Amino acid sequence: MERVPSPLNLFMNIPWQPDGRLEFRPSLARAGDQVTFTAVIDSIVVLSACPMDLNDINAGRLGDIGVEVLAD
């Protein structure tokens, strides 16, 4: 059986509630916020700009994502 990893949501604001529900809140990220990762082993990376427009996680707006991959 193949395993599907859980996503790492960097700029989303979806906290667990004490009763076990997820609450969808607007992101606290601002334009220009960024994160840098260094892969220490060969990796496969899948990205999404979270094109969700059905709840408040993107404050009702869709946006672009910028990605830069650097090789040693």
Side-chain angles (χ1 to χ4, degrees), residues 35-54:
V35 63
T36 301
F37 290 103
T38 301
V40 296
I41 61 172
D42 290 343
S43 301
I44 296 173
V45 178
V46 178
L47 300 172
S48 170
C50 196
M52 172 56 73
D53 61 354
L54 302 177

Side-chain angles (χ1 to χ4, degrees), residues 7 9 12 16 29 36 45 50 57 61 63 65:
N9 296 318
M12 295 172 67
W16 287 100
T36 301
V45 178
C50 196
I57 62 173
R61 299 181 315 268
I65 186 172

Side-chain angles (χ1 to χ4, degrees), residues 1-54:
M1 178 167 74
E2 292 185 37
R3 291 178 33 185
V4 177
S6 296
L8 172 62
N9 296 318
L10 297 173
F11 298 112
M12 295 172 67
N13 185 11
I14 305 176
W16 287 100
Q17 299 306 301
D19 64 2
R21 291 179 303 109
L22 288 174
E23 185 173 329
F24 296 90
R25 298 180 183 171
S27 175
L28 301 175
R30 300 290 173 243
D33 284 356
Q34 61 182 323
V35 63
T36 301
F37 290 103
T38 301
V40 296
I41 61 172
D42 290 343
S43 301
I44 296 173
V45 178
V46 178
L47 300 172
S48 170
C50 196
M52 172 56 73
D53 61 354
L54 302 177

